[in-house]
Amino acid sequence: DIVMTQSPDSLAVSLGERATINCKSSQSILYSSNNKNYLAWYQQKPGQPPKLLIYWASIRESGVPDRFSGSGSGTDFTLTISSLQAEDVAVYYCQQYYSTLYAFGQGTKLEIK
Amino acid sequence: QVQLVQSGAEVTKPGDSVKVSCDTSGYTFSGYYVHWVRLAPGQGLEWMGRLNPGSGVPNYAQKFQGRVTLTGDTSISTAYLELRWLTSDDTAVYYCARGGWGSSRLDFDYWGQGTLITVSS
């Protein structure tokens, strides 16, 4: 089974500053035949369902602000919020869809410093 | 527009079963997987399984094998999650989500609003 591990578990960043969340998979989730990384990032606010932010590791979902970006390949991935806004306070999850188990990371709680 | 609307919250007792519905609209029901994900208090998101509504074939996370059944009714574009032999550890918000397959996008792009299931004696 592919295990997804995020770091840190929680993060406090000042408004306007950069926030960086890391995600590591226990095996490569880069599919060689199409050169795509099978990874998504979601944002979840209290009382709401998860919201898709990024898919194929780096493609921003329609309507997602461009301050959100995804990068990485193989086993190591990063979600970056370039300039933190108050409405970005949430828990963020990475997810692999390389294997049928669709495992999520444990989540990273992002707060305002 | 794409919508997934789930049934309401339920309170159940240990040992009971629960069935949650996910009513979909705005897209071809048989053209996408319906996934089920839960969020327990203090925990992270946990994938439970997926249903191919067109074929009716489900796939389950090993943890839930034998205790969960995923079904769908293509005539009303609705998917169902049934979970049996409930314990307090099953207290959680349960979500359905749409996912693609094959060479298309495989992420979960639309989600239901969630259904709170509380297991308490």
Side-chain angles (χ1 to χ4, degrees), chain B residues 63-114:
Chain B
K63 174 178 179 178
F64 300 100
Q65 284 274 5
R67 207 162 66 90
V68 67
T69 300
L70 301 183
T71 56
D73 185 337
T74 54
S75 68
I76 56 172
S77 300
T78 298
Y80 302 94
L81 161 74
E82 182 178 23
L83 189 61
R84 298 176 291 278
W85 306 313
L86 294 165
T87 72
S88 57
D89 289 342
D90 295 313
T91 294
V93 178
Y94 290 77
Y95 297 99
C96 59
R98 187 183 84 158
W101 62 51
S103 59
S104 67
R105 288 175 53 175
L106 304 178
D107 50 84
F108 300 178
D109 57 354
Y110 288 91
W111 295 68
Q113 83 277 20

mmCIF file of all heavy atoms in Angstrom, chain B residues 63-114:
data_model
loop_
_atom_site.group_PDB
_atom_site.id
_atom_site.type_symbol
_atom_site.label_atom_id
_atom_site.label_comp_id
_atom_site.label_asym_id
_atom_site.label_seq_id
_atom_site.Cartn_x
_atom_site.Cartn_y
_atom_site.Cartn_z
ATOM 1 N N LYS B 63 -9.785 -2.312 4.947
ATOM 2 C CA LYS B 63 -10.261 -2.100 6.317
ATOM 3 C C LYS B 63 -11.769 -2.312 6.441
ATOM 4 O O LYS B 63 -12.267 -2.718 7.492
ATOM 5 C CB LYS B 63 -9.896 -0.680 6.759
ATOM 6 C CG LYS B 63 -10.435 -0.269 8.095
ATOM 7 C CD LYS B 63 -9.983 1.126 8.454
ATOM 8 C CE LYS B 63 -10.566 1.553 9.803
ATOM 9 N NZ LYS B 63 -10.093 2.896 10.208
ATOM 10 N N PHE B 64 -12.509 -2.050 5.369
ATOM 11 C CA PHE B 64 -13.967 -2.099 5.427
ATOM 12 C C PHE B 64 -14.562 -3.317 4.722
ATOM 13 O O PHE B 64 -15.785 -3.489 4.720
ATOM 14 C CB PHE B 64 -14.541 -0.822 4.824
ATOM 15 C CG PHE B 64 -14.109 0.425 5.528
ATOM 16 C CD1 PHE B 64 -13.089 1.213 5.013
ATOM 17 C CD2 PHE B 64 -14.685 0.791 6.728
ATOM 18 C CE1 PHE B 64 -12.657 2.358 5.669
ATOM 19 C CE2 PHE B 64 -14.280 1.936 7.398
ATOM 20 C CZ PHE B 64 -13.253 2.713 6.865
ATOM 21 N N GLN B 65 -13.703 -4.142 4.150
ATOM 22 C CA GLN B 65 -14.181 -5.336 3.453
ATOM 23 C C GLN B 65 -15.072 -6.177 4.361
ATOM 24 O O GLN B 65 -14.723 -6.441 5.510
ATOM 25 C CB GLN B 65 -12.990 -6.200 3.003
ATOM 26 C CG GLN B 65 -12.258 -5.685 1.794
ATOM 27 C CD GLN B 65 -12.869 -6.138 0.482
ATOM 28 O OE1 GLN B 65 -13.907 -6.779 0.456
ATOM 29 N NE2 GLN B 65 -12.230 -5.772 -0.632
ATOM 30 N N GLY B 66 -16.230 -6.567 3.845
ATOM 31 C CA GLY B 66 -17.143 -7.405 4.603
ATOM 32 C C GLY B 66 -18.121 -6.633 5.470
ATOM 33 O O GLY B 66 -19.093 -7.211 5.992
ATOM 34 N N ARG B 67 -17.876 -5.345 5.634
ATOM 35 C CA ARG B 67 -18.732 -4.548 6.511
ATOM 36 C C ARG B 67 -19.433 -3.417 5.761
ATOM 37 O O ARG B 67 -20.363 -2.800 6.278
ATOM 38 C CB ARG B 67 -17.873 -3.960 7.646
ATOM 39 C CG ARG B 67 -18.638 -3.696 8.912
ATOM 40 C CD ARG B 67 -17.689 -3.553 10.086
ATOM 41 N NE ARG B 67 -16.817 -2.392 10.007
ATOM 42 C CZ ARG B 67 -17.116 -1.207 10.501
ATOM 43 N NH1 ARG B 67 -18.292 -1.006 11.066
ATOM 44 N NH2 ARG B 67 -16.245 -0.205 10.440
ATOM 45 N N VAL B 68 -18.982 -3.142 4.548
ATOM 46 C CA VAL B 68 -19.543 -2.057 3.755
ATOM 47 C C VAL B 68 -20.054 -2.583 2.428
ATOM 48 O O VAL B 68 -19.494 -3.539 1.867
ATOM 49 C CB VAL B 68 -18.492 -0.950 3.515
ATOM 50 C CG1 VAL B 68 -17.362 -1.444 2.617
ATOM 51 C CG2 VAL B 68 -19.135 0.301 2.944
ATOM 52 N N THR B 69 -21.130 -1.982 1.953
ATOM 53 C CA THR B 69 -21.657 -2.313 0.631
ATOM 54 C C THR B 69 -21.965 -1.011 -0.099
ATOM 55 O O THR B 69 -22.676 -0.149 0.446
ATOM 56 C CB THR B 69 -22.940 -3.162 0.726
ATOM 57 O OG1 THR B 69 -22.653 -4.377 1.417
ATOM 58 C CG2 THR B 69 -23.444 -3.503 -0.670
ATOM 59 N N LEU B 70 -21.428 -0.881 -1.298
ATOM 60 C CA LEU B 70 -21.702 0.274 -2.151
ATOM 61 C C LEU B 70 -22.579 -0.162 -3.317
ATOM 62 O O LEU B 70 -22.255 -1.135 -3.999
ATOM 63 C CB LEU B 70 -20.404 0.878 -2.694
ATOM 64 C CG LEU B 70 -19.391 1.356 -1.657
ATOM 65 C CD1 LEU B 70 -18.188 1.988 -2.364
ATOM 66 C CD2 LEU B 70 -20.014 2.339 -0.693
ATOM 67 N N THR B 71 -23.656 0.550 -3.499
ATOM 68 C CA THR B 71 -24.578 0.243 -4.590
ATOM 69 C C THR B 71 -25.002 1.537 -5.270
ATOM 70 O O THR B 71 -24.720 2.638 -4.787
ATOM 71 C CB THR B 71 -25.827 -0.492 -4.086
ATOM 72 O OG1 THR B 71 -26.456 0.306 -3.061
ATOM 73 C CG2 THR B 71 -25.481 -1.858 -3.511
ATOM 74 N N GLY B 72 -25.687 1.391 -6.394
ATOM 75 C CA GLY B 72 -26.186 2.558 -7.106
ATOM 76 C C GLY B 72 -27.448 2.228 -7.870
ATOM 77 O O GLY B 72 -27.707 1.061 -8.185
ATOM 78 N N ASP B 73 -28.245 3.252 -8.115
ATOM 79 C CA ASP B 73 -29.468 3.111 -8.906
ATOM 80 C C ASP B 73 -29.350 4.099 -10.065
ATOM 81 O O ASP B 73 -29.501 5.310 -9.872
ATOM 82 C CB ASP B 73 -30.683 3.417 -8.036
ATOM 83 C CG ASP B 73 -32.005 3.168 -8.754
ATOM 84 O OD1 ASP B 73 -32.020 3.187 -9.999
ATOM 85 O OD2 ASP B 73 -33.014 2.967 -8.077
ATOM 86 N N THR B 74 -29.070 3.561 -11.251
ATOM 87 C CA THR B 74 -28.844 4.447 -12.396
ATOM 88 C C THR B 74 -30.135 5.153 -12.830
ATOM 89 O O THR B 74 -30.076 6.219 -13.444
ATOM 90 C CB THR B 74 -28.267 3.667 -13.587
ATOM 91 O OG1 THR B 74 -29.118 2.561 -13.885
ATOM 92 C CG2 THR B 74 -26.871 3.149 -13.271
ATOM 93 N N SER B 75 -31.295 4.590 -12.490
ATOM 94 C CA SER B 75 -32.556 5.218 -12.912
ATOM 95 C C SER B 75 -32.802 6.542 -12.206
ATOM 96 O O SER B 75 -33.516 7.411 -12.721
ATOM 97 C CB SER B 75 -33.726 4.263 -12.661
ATOM 98 O OG SER B 75 -33.948 4.079 -11.281
ATOM 99 N N ILE B 76 -32.187 6.708 -11.029
ATOM 100 C CA ILE B 76 -32.352 7.969 -10.282
ATOM 101 C C ILE B 76 -31.004 8.604 -9.950
ATOM 102 O O ILE B 76 -30.923 9.517 -9.146
ATOM 103 C CB ILE B 76 -33.173 7.748 -8.990
ATOM 104 C CG1 ILE B 76 -32.548 6.661 -8.108
ATOM 105 C CG2 ILE B 76 -34.619 7.421 -9.322
ATOM 106 C CD1 ILE B 76 -33.212 6.534 -6.737
ATOM 107 N N SER B 77 -29.929 8.088 -10.571
ATOM 108 C CA SER B 77 -28.585 8.682 -10.423
ATOM 109 C C SER B 77 -28.184 8.847 -8.963
ATOM 110 O O SER B 77 -27.661 9.887 -8.553
ATOM 111 C CB SER B 77 -28.511 10.032 -11.159
ATOM 112 O OG SER B 77 -28.776 9.872 -12.526
ATOM 113 N N THR B 78 -28.426 7.810 -8.194
ATOM 114 C CA THR B 78 -28.153 7.863 -6.752
ATOM 115 C C THR B 78 -27.261 6.703 -6.339
ATOM 116 O O THR B 78 -27.474 5.569 -6.769
ATOM 117 C CB THR B 78 -29.465 7.844 -5.953
ATOM 118 O OG1 THR B 78 -30.236 9.001 -6.297
ATOM 119 C CG2 THR B 78 -29.192 7.848 -4.455
ATOM 120 N N ALA B 79 -26.277 7.004 -5.514
ATOM 121 C CA ALA B 79 -25.384 6.002 -4.959
ATOM 122 C C ALA B 79 -25.671 5.840 -3.470
ATOM 123 O O ALA B 79 -26.166 6.770 -2.808
ATOM 124 C CB ALA B 79 -23.924 6.416 -5.169
ATOM 125 N N TYR B 80 -25.345 4.656 -2.961
ATOM 126 C CA TYR B 80 -25.622 4.340 -1.565
ATOM 127 C C TYR B 80 -24.402 3.713 -0.909
ATOM 128 O O TYR B 80 -23.688 2.928 -1.509
ATOM 129 C CB TYR B 80 -26.796 3.349 -1.461
ATOM 130 C CG TYR B 80 -28.073 3.843 -2.097
ATOM 131 C CD1 TYR B 80 -28.382 3.513 -3.415
ATOM 132 C CD2 TYR B 80 -28.978 4.626 -1.387
ATOM 133 C CE1 TYR B 80 -29.541 3.953 -4.013
ATOM 134 C CE2 TYR B 80 -30.137 5.082 -1.983
ATOM 135 C CZ TYR B 80 -30.415 4.737 -3.298
ATOM 136 O OH TYR B 80 -31.564 5.189 -3.899
ATOM 137 N N LEU B 81 -24.246 4.052 0.366
ATOM 138 C CA LEU B 81 -23.251 3.428 1.228
ATOM 139 C C LEU B 81 -23.994 2.778 2.385
ATOM 140 O O LEU B 81 -24.770 3.443 3.076
ATOM 141 C CB LEU B 81 -22.281 4.484 1.785
ATOM 142 C CG LEU B 81 -21.463 4.105 3.018
ATOM 143 C CD1 LEU B 81 -20.356 3.136 2.652
ATOM 144 C CD2 LEU B 81 -20.870 5.349 3.669
ATOM 145 N N GLU B 82 -23.781 1.482 2.568
ATOM 146 C CA GLU B 82 -24.320 0.802 3.744
ATOM 147 C C GLU B 82 -23.149 0.288 4.575
ATOM 148 O O GLU B 82 -22.251 -0.377 4.053
ATOM 149 C CB GLU B 82 -25.230 -0.368 3.360
ATOM 150 C CG GLU B 82 -25.835 -1.065 4.575
ATOM 151 C CD GLU B 82 -26.773 -2.203 4.212
ATOM 152 O OE1 GLU B 82 -26.643 -2.761 3.091
ATOM 153 O OE2 GLU B 82 -27.640 -2.535 5.046
ATOM 154 N N LEU B 83 -23.175 0.603 5.858
ATOM 155 C CA LEU B 83 -22.135 0.164 6.780
ATOM 156 C C LEU B 83 -22.794 -0.597 7.919
ATOM 157 O O LEU B 83 -23.738 -0.102 8.534
ATOM 158 C CB LEU B 83 -21.342 1.368 7.310
ATOM 159 C CG LEU B 83 -20.080 1.075 8.119
ATOM 160 C CD1 LEU B 83 -19.052 0.307 7.284
ATOM 161 C CD2 LEU B 83 -19.463 2.386 8.631
ATOM 162 N N ARG B 84 -22.283 -1.795 8.169
ATOM 163 C CA ARG B 84 -22.900 -2.700 9.152
ATOM 164 C C ARG B 84 -22.043 -2.841 10.397
ATOM 165 O O ARG B 84 -20.871 -2.458 10.411
ATOM 166 C CB ARG B 84 -23.102 -4.073 8.516
ATOM 167 C CG ARG B 84 -24.038 -4.068 7.311
ATOM 168 C CD ARG B 84 -24.117 -5.469 6.677
ATOM 169 N NE ARG B 84 -22.874 -5.862 6.040
ATOM 170 C CZ ARG B 84 -22.508 -5.479 4.816
ATOM 171 N NH1 ARG B 84 -23.279 -4.675 4.096
ATOM 172 N NH2 ARG B 84 -21.374 -5.902 4.292
ATOM 173 N N TRP B 85 -22.643 -3.394 11.439
ATOM 174 C CA TRP B 85 -21.950 -3.701 12.699
ATOM 175 C C TRP B 85 -21.202 -2.471 13.215
ATOM 176 O O TRP B 85 -19.990 -2.516 13.474
ATOM 177 C CB TRP B 85 -21.005 -4.896 12.500
ATOM 178 C CG TRP B 85 -21.697 -6.085 11.923
ATOM 179 C CD1 TRP B 85 -22.899 -6.633 12.332
ATOM 180 C CD2 TRP B 85 -21.271 -6.866 10.816
ATOM 181 N NE1 TRP B 85 -23.226 -7.702 11.540
ATOM 182 C CE2 TRP B 85 -22.261 -7.881 10.609
ATOM 183 C CE3 TRP B 85 -20.162 -6.841 9.975
ATOM 184 C CZ2 TRP B 85 -22.155 -8.823 9.589
ATOM 185 C CZ3 TRP B 85 -20.052 -7.776 8.977
ATOM 186 C CH2 TRP B 85 -21.058 -8.762 8.783
ATOM 187 N N LEU B 86 -21.950 -1.405 13.335
ATOM 188 C CA LEU B 86 -21.363 -0.123 13.713
ATOM 189 C C LEU B 86 -20.823 -0.155 15.133
ATOM 190 O O LEU B 86 -21.402 -0.792 16.024
ATOM 191 C CB LEU B 86 -22.396 0.985 13.576
ATOM 192 C CG LEU B 86 -22.860 1.286 12.142
ATOM 193 C CD1 LEU B 86 -24.124 2.133 12.157
ATOM 194 C CD2 LEU B 86 -21.758 1.958 11.352
ATOM 195 N N THR B 87 -19.710 0.549 15.320
ATOM 196 C CA THR B 87 -19.157 0.794 16.658
ATOM 197 C C THR B 87 -18.966 2.301 16.808
ATOM 198 O O THR B 87 -19.106 3.063 15.849
ATOM 199 C CB THR B 87 -17.808 0.088 16.851
ATOM 200 O OG1 THR B 87 -16.804 0.758 16.065
ATOM 201 C CG2 THR B 87 -17.881 -1.382 16.438
ATOM 202 N N SER B 88 -18.588 2.711 17.990
ATOM 203 C CA SER B 88 -18.369 4.142 18.239
ATOM 204 C C SER B 88 -17.261 4.693 17.336
ATOM 205 O O SER B 88 -17.248 5.885 17.018
ATOM 206 C CB SER B 88 -18.036 4.383 19.696
ATOM 207 O OG SER B 88 -16.894 3.624 20.076
ATOM 208 N N ASP B 89 -16.351 3.829 16.918
ATOM 209 C CA ASP B 89 -15.276 4.274 16.022
ATOM 210 C C ASP B 89 -15.784 4.669 14.643
ATOM 211 O O ASP B 89 -15.051 5.279 13.857
ATOM 212 C CB ASP B 89 -14.221 3.182 15.860
ATOM 213 C CG ASP B 89 -13.387 2.979 17.111
ATOM 214 O OD1 ASP B 89 -13.387 3.882 17.980
ATOM 215 O OD2 ASP B 89 -12.760 1.918 17.243
ATOM 216 N N ASP B 90 -17.029 4.307 14.324
ATOM 217 C CA ASP B 90 -17.611 4.678 13.038
ATOM 218 C C ASP B 90 -18.289 6.040 13.073
ATOM 219 O O ASP B 90 -18.805 6.502 12.039
ATOM 220 C CB ASP B 90 -18.601 3.608 12.577
ATOM 221 C CG ASP B 90 -17.934 2.269 12.285
ATOM 222 O OD1 ASP B 90 -16.896 2.281 11.585
ATOM 223 O OD2 ASP B 90 -18.449 1.239 12.751
ATOM 224 N N THR B 91 -18.328 6.677 14.235
ATOM 225 C CA THR B 91 -18.848 8.038 14.318
ATOM 226 C C THR B 91 -17.974 8.950 13.464
ATOM 227 O O THR B 91 -16.762 9.062 13.693
ATOM 228 C CB THR B 91 -18.866 8.536 15.768
ATOM 229 O OG1 THR B 91 -19.818 7.756 16.502
ATOM 230 C CG2 THR B 91 -19.240 10.008 15.831
ATOM 231 N N ALA B 92 -18.579 9.561 12.462
ATOM 232 C CA ALA B 92 -17.808 10.333 11.495
ATOM 233 C C ALA B 92 -18.761 11.061 10.554
ATOM 234 O O ALA B 92 -19.969 10.791 10.529
ATOM 235 C CB ALA B 92 -16.898 9.414 10.667
ATOM 236 N N VAL B 93 -18.192 11.972 9.778
ATOM 237 C CA VAL B 93 -18.909 12.556 8.647
ATOM 238 C C VAL B 93 -18.522 11.747 7.409
ATOM 239 O O VAL B 93 -17.328 11.556 7.147
ATOM 240 C CB VAL B 93 -18.556 14.037 8.445
ATOM 241 C CG1 VAL B 93 -19.286 14.582 7.214
ATOM 242 C CG2 VAL B 93 -18.916 14.845 9.685
ATOM 243 N N TYR B 94 -19.525 11.298 6.697
ATOM 244 C CA TYR B 94 -19.319 10.480 5.506
ATOM 245 C C TYR B 94 -19.608 11.328 4.270
ATOM 246 O O TYR B 94 -20.646 11.986 4.192
ATOM 247 C CB TYR B 94 -20.218 9.246 5.544
ATOM 248 C CG TYR B 94 -19.783 8.267 6.611
ATOM 249 C CD1 TYR B 94 -20.071 8.499 7.952
ATOM 250 C CD2 TYR B 94 -19.061 7.124 6.286
ATOM 251 C CE1 TYR B 94 -19.641 7.630 8.942
ATOM 252 C CE2 TYR B 94 -18.636 6.234 7.264
ATOM 253 C CZ TYR B 94 -18.926 6.506 8.587
ATOM 254 O OH TYR B 94 -18.495 5.630 9.568
ATOM 255 N N TYR B 95 -18.684 11.290 3.318
ATOM 256 C CA TYR B 95 -18.811 12.065 2.093
ATOM 257 C C TYR B 95 -18.845 11.150 0.874
ATOM 258 O O TYR B 95 -18.102 10.159 0.819
ATOM 259 C CB TYR B 95 -17.612 12.997 1.895
ATOM 260 C CG TYR B 95 -17.423 14.049 2.949
ATOM 261 C CD1 TYR B 95 -16.504 13.878 3.981
ATOM 262 C CD2 TYR B 95 -18.137 15.247 2.902
ATOM 263 C CE1 TYR B 95 -16.305 14.862 4.932
ATOM 264 C CE2 TYR B 95 -17.942 16.236 3.859
ATOM 265 C CZ TYR B 95 -17.028 16.027 4.876
ATOM 266 O OH TYR B 95 -16.836 17.004 5.817
ATOM 267 N N CYS B 96 -19.653 11.510 -0.107
ATOM 268 C CA CYS B 96 -19.505 10.929 -1.436
ATOM 269 C C CYS B 96 -18.790 11.956 -2.310
ATOM 270 O O CYS B 96 -18.852 13.171 -2.053
ATOM 271 C CB CYS B 96 -20.845 10.525 -2.048
ATOM 272 S SG CYS B 96 -22.057 11.856 -2.242
ATOM 273 N N ALA B 97 -18.106 11.473 -3.319
ATOM 274 C CA ALA B 97 -17.349 12.357 -4.204
ATOM 275 C C ALA B 97 -17.291 11.738 -5.592
ATOM 276 O O ALA B 97 -17.268 10.512 -5.741
ATOM 277 C CB ALA B 97 -15.938 12.586 -3.669
ATOM 278 N N ARG B 98 -17.233 12.587 -6.601
ATOM 279 C CA ARG B 98 -17.138 12.121 -7.982
ATOM 280 C C ARG B 98 -15.673 11.994 -8.382
ATOM 281 O O ARG B 98 -14.845 12.864 -8.086
ATOM 282 C CB ARG B 98 -17.828 13.118 -8.921
ATOM 283 C CG ARG B 98 -17.928 12.654 -10.344
ATOM 284 C CD ARG B 98 -18.546 13.707 -11.240
ATOM 285 N NE ARG B 98 -17.582 14.678 -11.718
ATOM 286 C CZ ARG B 98 -17.746 15.429 -12.798
ATOM 287 N NH1 ARG B 98 -18.872 15.320 -13.506
ATOM 288 N NH2 ARG B 98 -16.813 16.309 -13.164
ATOM 289 N N GLY B 99 -15.366 10.898 -9.068
ATOM 290 C CA GLY B 99 -14.008 10.715 -9.564
ATOM 291 C C GLY B 99 -14.015 10.114 -10.957
ATOM 292 O O GLY B 99 -14.895 9.328 -11.295
ATOM 293 N N GLY B 100 -13.025 10.476 -11.747
ATOM 294 C CA GLY B 100 -12.929 9.962 -13.104
ATOM 295 C C GLY B 100 -12.211 8.625 -13.153
ATOM 296 O O GLY B 100 -11.802 8.066 -12.133
ATOM 297 N N TRP B 101 -12.060 8.100 -14.361
ATOM 298 C CA TRP B 101 -11.317 6.853 -14.533
ATOM 299 C C TRP B 101 -10.620 6.832 -15.885
ATOM 300 O O TRP B 101 -10.799 7.723 -16.696
ATOM 301 C CB TRP B 101 -12.233 5.639 -14.385
ATOM 302 C CG TRP B 101 -13.344 5.521 -15.381
ATOM 303 C CD1 TRP B 101 -13.274 5.594 -16.741
ATOM 304 C CD2 TRP B 101 -14.721 5.281 -15.080
ATOM 305 N NE1 TRP B 101 -14.516 5.418 -17.295
ATOM 306 C CE2 TRP B 101 -15.418 5.220 -16.313
ATOM 307 C CE3 TRP B 101 -15.428 5.104 -13.890
ATOM 308 C CZ2 TRP B 101 -16.793 4.995 -16.367
ATOM 309 C CZ3 TRP B 101 -16.787 4.872 -13.958
ATOM 310 C CH2 TRP B 101 -17.449 4.823 -15.191
ATOM 311 N N GLY B 102 -9.793 5.777 -16.028
ATOM 312 C CA GLY B 102 -9.102 5.581 -17.294
ATOM 313 C C GLY B 102 -8.103 6.672 -17.554
ATOM 314 O O GLY B 102 -7.310 7.030 -16.683
ATOM 315 N N SER B 103 -8.149 7.258 -18.733
ATOM 316 C CA SER B 103 -7.185 8.281 -19.116
ATOM 317 C C SER B 103 -7.654 9.681 -18.719
ATOM 318 O O SER B 103 -6.955 10.662 -18.953
ATOM 319 C CB SER B 103 -6.943 8.242 -20.618
ATOM 320 O OG SER B 103 -8.160 8.451 -21.315
ATOM 321 N N SER B 104 -8.824 9.776 -18.096
ATOM 322 C CA SER B 104 -9.318 11.087 -17.690
ATOM 323 C C SER B 104 -8.781 11.440 -16.307
ATOM 324 O O SER B 104 -7.980 10.710 -15.734
ATOM 325 C CB SER B 104 -10.845 11.090 -17.678
ATOM 326 O OG SER B 104 -11.324 10.238 -16.662
ATOM 327 N N ARG B 105 -9.244 12.536 -15.790
ATOM 328 C CA ARG B 105 -8.840 12.940 -14.454
ATOM 329 C C ARG B 105 -9.320 11.923 -13.431
ATOM 330 O O ARG B 105 -10.430 11.412 -13.528
ATOM 331 C CB ARG B 105 -9.419 14.315 -14.145
ATOM 332 C CG ARG B 105 -8.749 15.426 -14.895
ATOM 333 C CD ARG B 105 -9.456 16.739 -14.635
ATOM 334 N NE ARG B 105 -9.588 17.016 -13.206
ATOM 335 C CZ ARG B 105 -10.088 18.142 -12.725
ATOM 336 N NH1 ARG B 105 -10.492 19.084 -13.564
ATOM 337 N NH2 ARG B 105 -10.202 18.330 -11.426
ATOM 338 N N LEU B 106 -8.500 11.666 -12.430
ATOM 339 C CA LEU B 106 -8.815 10.662 -11.423
ATOM 340 C C LEU B 106 -9.045 11.257 -10.044
ATOM 341 O O LEU B 106 -9.349 10.530 -9.102
ATOM 342 C CB LEU B 106 -7.692 9.624 -11.362
ATOM 343 C CG LEU B 106 -7.359 8.917 -12.686
ATOM 344 C CD1 LEU B 106 -6.194 7.962 -12.501
ATOM 345 C CD2 LEU B 106 -8.583 8.180 -13.216
ATOM 346 N N ASP B 107 -8.857 12.585 -9.923
ATOM 347 C CA ASP B 107 -9.065 13.236 -8.639
ATOM 348 C C ASP B 107 -10.549 13.314 -8.316
ATOM 349 O O ASP B 107 -11.400 12.952 -9.133
ATOM 350 C CB ASP B 107 -8.462 14.650 -8.697
ATOM 351 C CG ASP B 107 -8.932 15.402 -9.929
ATOM 352 O OD1 ASP B 107 -10.046 15.985 -9.861
ATOM 353 O OD2 ASP B 107 -8.222 15.378 -10.953
ATOM 354 N N PHE B 108 -10.866 13.802 -7.118
ATOM 355 C CA PHE B 108 -12.262 13.913 -6.665
ATOM 356 C C PHE B 108 -12.684 15.378 -6.815
ATOM 357 O O PHE B 108 -12.372 16.207 -5.968
ATOM 358 C CB PHE B 108 -12.377 13.473 -5.208
ATOM 359 C CG PHE B 108 -11.948 12.050 -4.940
ATOM 360 C CD1 PHE B 108 -11.971 11.550 -3.639
ATOM 361 C CD2 PHE B 108 -11.550 11.197 -5.963
ATOM 362 C CE1 PHE B 108 -11.585 10.243 -3.363
ATOM 363 C CE2 PHE B 108 -11.157 9.886 -5.703
ATOM 364 C CZ PHE B 108 -11.178 9.421 -4.393
ATOM 365 N N ASP B 109 -13.365 15.690 -7.918
ATOM 366 C CA ASP B 109 -13.595 17.095 -8.216
ATOM 367 C C ASP B 109 -14.874 17.674 -7.627
ATOM 368 O O ASP B 109 -14.971 18.899 -7.452
ATOM 369 C CB ASP B 109 -13.517 17.349 -9.736
ATOM 370 C CG ASP B 109 -14.490 16.512 -10.541
ATOM 371 O OD1 ASP B 109 -15.169 15.638 -9.969
ATOM 372 O OD2 ASP B 109 -14.550 16.728 -11.776
ATOM 373 N N TYR B 110 -15.857 16.844 -7.344
ATOM 374 C CA TYR B 110 -17.090 17.316 -6.713
ATOM 375 C C TYR B 110 -17.419 16.413 -5.530
ATOM 376 O O TYR B 110 -17.269 15.180 -5.616
ATOM 377 C CB TYR B 110 -18.255 17.334 -7.709
ATOM 378 C CG TYR B 110 -18.152 18.430 -8.742
ATOM 379 C CD1 TYR B 110 -17.512 18.204 -9.952
ATOM 380 C CD2 TYR B 110 -18.675 19.693 -8.492
ATOM 381 C CE1 TYR B 110 -17.400 19.203 -10.905
ATOM 382 C CE2 TYR B 110 -18.566 20.704 -9.440
ATOM 383 C CZ TYR B 110 -17.927 20.443 -10.635
ATOM 384 O OH TYR B 110 -17.807 21.445 -11.571
ATOM 385 N N TRP B 111 -17.891 17.048 -4.448
ATOM 386 C CA TRP B 111 -18.174 16.343 -3.207
ATOM 387 C C TRP B 111 -19.589 16.626 -2.734
ATOM 388 O O TRP B 111 -20.123 17.725 -2.960
ATOM 389 C CB TRP B 111 -17.201 16.793 -2.113
ATOM 390 C CG TRP B 111 -15.768 16.440 -2.360
ATOM 391 C CD1 TRP B 111 -14.939 16.936 -3.330
ATOM 392 C CD2 TRP B 111 -14.982 15.524 -1.593
ATOM 393 N NE1 TRP B 111 -13.685 16.376 -3.220
ATOM 394 C CE2 TRP B 111 -13.684 15.520 -2.164
ATOM 395 C CE3 TRP B 111 -15.229 14.717 -0.484
ATOM 396 C CZ2 TRP B 111 -12.644 14.719 -1.659
ATOM 397 C CZ3 TRP B 111 -14.203 13.935 0.024
ATOM 398 C CH2 TRP B 111 -12.928 13.936 -0.560
ATOM 399 N N GLY B 112 -20.169 15.632 -2.047
ATOM 400 C CA GLY B 112 -21.401 15.880 -1.335
ATOM 401 C C GLY B 112 -21.142 16.727 -0.097
ATOM 402 O O GLY B 112 -19.979 16.958 0.275
ATOM 403 N N GLN B 113 -22.205 17.157 0.535
ATOM 404 C CA GLN B 113 -22.075 18.060 1.689
ATOM 405 C C GLN B 113 -21.688 17.330 2.971
ATOM 406 O O GLN B 113 -21.326 17.964 3.955
ATOM 407 C CB GLN B 113 -23.393 18.845 1.905
ATOM 408 C CG GLN B 113 -24.475 18.108 2.678
ATOM 409 C CD GLN B 113 -25.311 17.173 1.840
ATOM 410 O OE1 GLN B 113 -24.915 16.760 0.746
ATOM 411 N NE2 GLN B 113 -26.486 16.815 2.365
ATOM 412 N N GLY B 114 -21.769 16.008 2.939
ATOM 413 C CA GLY B 114 -21.412 15.224 4.110
ATOM 414 C C GLY B 114 -22.635 14.800 4.910
ATOM 415 O O GLY B 114 -23.637 15.515 4.971
#
